[in-house]
């Protein structure tokens, strides 16, 4: 029996857990950070909560006799990815990163590419008065400092009550979203710019197409640096890596 730990919190991680669960003689454990109150539970075993940094993760890998570690966290969850890389190196456990490809800018896109959420906030005053913020609920604070801008903020769960929230309206909703829905939102709320992370994938790409069609600029936050190491862009290749690594 082999045991796999998937670092999760994404649709890709849940789909990977489902594929691995179909294999004989492999137990799959998915780890969730515990940020979401009612997460979609992946197939197999689930554990929830931080490990206690790199050393805590290394202890977990040893104690649970993990045979392979697959980091399928969100491309913007950089801390856990660096921790995973270091812990895998320390313990000698095979380690893979499943990172879906970033969206690529097309000639039709009006993107202002920035390195951080904070940089996105500093770009807005010269750009827009009514902004669609699609970066989740954890990093809203930099936008609360901006005077004279109204925000439509979409997230899977509402921001915690102790967080600073910018002026505007909160929309609680989970993707995937259709192009029609995104166009309606942009038009009904008279949105004149969007802020997005370059998350990649299909589930939230409709807003990019809607912005193209309506000629709306997107302040696009680029991905953080990730560790070097074995990397694949989809579940099919993650499964190939797993079979080659374990058998
Ligand atoms: N950042 C985003 O935009 C985004 C978007 C969608 C989903 N998510 C998901 O939400 C989770 C948290 O994201 P984040 O950006 O806050 O992460 P992060 O900044 O990279 O990680 C912060 C800390 O949270 C804990 N952690 C993160 N992911 C974990 C996991 N899968 N299992 C156990 N502990 C985890 C770790 O705590 P310890 O040091 O104590 O181990 C880590 O050091 C991730 O699982 C990610 O896949 C993030």
């Amino acid at each position: 029996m082999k045991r796999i730990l998937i670092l999760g919190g994404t649709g890709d991680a849940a789909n990977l857990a489902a594929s691995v669960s179909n294999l004989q003689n492999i137990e799959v454990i998915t780890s969730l950070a515990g940020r979401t109150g009612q997460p979609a539970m992946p197939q197999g075993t689930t554990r929830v909560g931080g490990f206690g940094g790199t050393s805590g993760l290394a202890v977990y890998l040893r104690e649970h006799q993990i045979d392979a570690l697959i980091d399928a966290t969100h491309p913007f969850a950089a801390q856990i990815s660096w921790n995973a890389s270091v812990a895998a190196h320390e313990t000698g456990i095979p380690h893979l990163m499943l990172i879906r490809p970033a969206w690529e800018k097309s000639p039709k896109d009006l993107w202002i590419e920035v390195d951080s959420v904070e940089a996105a906030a500093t770009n807005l005053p010269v750009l827009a008065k009514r902004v669609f913020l699609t970066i989740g609920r954890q990093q809203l604070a930099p936008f609360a400092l901006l005077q004279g801008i109204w925000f439509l903020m979409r997230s899977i769960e509402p921001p915690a009550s102790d967080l600073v929230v910018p002026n505007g309206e909160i929309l609680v909703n989970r993707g995937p979203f259709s192009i029609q829905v995104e166009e309606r939102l942009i038009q009904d709320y008279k949105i004149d710019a969007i802020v997005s992370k370059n998350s990649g994938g299909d589930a939230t790409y409709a807003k990019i197409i809607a912005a193209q069609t309506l000629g709306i600029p997107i302040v696009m936050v680029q991905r953080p640096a990730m560790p070097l190491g074995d990397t694949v862009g989809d579940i099919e290749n993650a499964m190939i890596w797993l079979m080659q690594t374990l058998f």
Side-chain angles (χ1 to χ4, degrees):
M1 188 63 138
K2 303 281 187 185
R3 191 173 289 147
I4 311 303
L5 178 64
I6 297 174
L7 300 174
T10 60
D12 283 344
N15 291 336
L16 178 64
S19 294
V20 179
S21 295
N22 287 331
L23 301 175
Q24 298 287 315
N25 299 322
I26 297 188
E27 182 191 350
V28 55
I29 304 171
T30 299
S31 176
L32 303 176
R35 302 275 192 278
T36 315
Q38 291 181 322
M41 280 301 179
Q43 258 176 267
T45 306
T46 306
R47 68 160 299 284
V48 181
F51 296 95
T54 306
S55 54
L57 179 53
V59 168
Y60 183 96
L61 293 173
R62 284 198 190 96
E63 281 185 352
H64 290 78
Q65 299 178 345
I66 300 297
D67 295 295
L69 172 63
I70 303 184
D71 173 6
T73 56
H74 191 271
F76 280 80
Q79 185 63 59
I80 187 69
S81 293
W82 283 93
N83 290 359
S85 174
V86 174
H89 184 75
E90 262 178 40
T91 54
I93 290 170
H95 164 240
L96 177 74
M97 287 173 283
L98 167 56
I99 310 177
R100 59 193 181 208
W103 296 316
E104 285 186 17
K105 186 179 178 184
S106 84
K108 287 185 270 175
D109 286 312
L110 303 169
W111 288 6
I112 295 122
E113 293 173 278
V114 296
D115 287 338
S116 65
V117 166
E118 292 76 11
T122 60
N123 270 274
L124 284 181
V126 291
L127 200 66
K129 290 269 177 263
R130 296 178 66 82
V131 174
F132 187 15
L133 264 187
T134 62
I135 56 162
R137 64 198 162 115
Q138 309 277 4
Q139 293 172 285
L140 296 175
F143 301 95
L145 300 171
L146 301 176
Q147 303 290 320
I149 300 183
W150 184 93
F151 291 94
L152 177 64
M153 295 158 269
R154 182 167 67 195
S155 54
I156 292 172
E157 289 191 354
S161 53
D162 58 346
L163 283 185
V164 181
V165 175
N167 171 42
E169 185 177 323
I170 291 161
L171 196 60
V172 176
N173 211 341
R174 187 193 288 264
F177 305 104
S178 70
I179 297 168
Q180 290 80 356
V181 162
E182 301 297 55
E183 285 184 358
R184 283 274 306 266
L185 275 181
I186 292 169
Q187 287 172 325
D188 289 354
Y189 284 93
K190 300 185 173 26
I191 296 298
D192 48 17
I194 296 173
V195 178
S196 173
K197 293 176 175 175
N198 193 334
S199 301
D202 296 336
T204 56
Y205 192 68
K207 68 187 168 200
I208 312 286
I209 299 173
Q212 282 174 1
T213 309
L214 299 172
I216 302 286
I218 302 184
V219 182
M220 186 65 81
V221 183
Q222 300 303 100
R223 295 177 170 197
M226 284 293 161
L228 294 176
D230 288 357
T231 304
V232 294
D234 56 38
I235 288 161
E236 196 184 352
N237 281 299
M239 294 299 286
I240 291 170
W241 178 91
L242 194 59
M243 301 308 282
Q244 287 173 346
T245 301
L246 293 182
F247 302 109

